[in-house]
Amino acid sequence: MDELNLDAETVEKVYDVGIELLLTYGPKVLLAFVVLFLGFWIIKGVLRVMDAGLSRASVEPTLRAFLGSITSVMLKLVLLIIFASMIGVETASLIAM
């Protein structure tokens, strides 16, 4: 097994690059995760309100569940596209689909 040849200069360069990457991309990734978790929380609330409204309108339970599932999937898909866009993934091809 080859021996690792790490001198102080190499370790310092790696440390500096790591700190630079953390300062460059850290806030962007952190904000993206905050938006993701807030988005899931908001979607949950929207689905609850929608289900309550459909229930008050005497919509059949199976139709309420179906509409809730479709709405959930669509909103989560939009949220994931927003999340991917925030962390730097090119989403133009996803949106074109």
Side-chain angles (χ1 to χ4, degrees), residues 7-69:
D7 56 354
E9 187 177 317
T10 304
V11 172
E12 188 175 332
K13 284 181 184 178
V14 169
Y15 178 77
D16 289 342
V17 169
I19 294 296
E20 182 180 333
L21 287 173
L22 184 64
L23 291 175
T24 303
Y25 296 109
K28 184 191 305 187
V29 172
L30 182 63
L31 180 64
F33 276 106
V34 168
V35 167
L36 183 69
F37 289 121
L38 282 175
F40 280 127
W41 181 72
I42 291 170
I43 288 171
K44 192 163 106 174
V46 166
L47 293 174
R48 228 180 331 196
V49 168
M50 187 181 91
D51 189 53
L54 290 174
S55 180
R56 271 187 248 122
S58 301
V59 174
E60 188 178 331
T62 54
L63 180 59
R64 279 191 349 235
F66 176 71
L67 292 174
S69 295

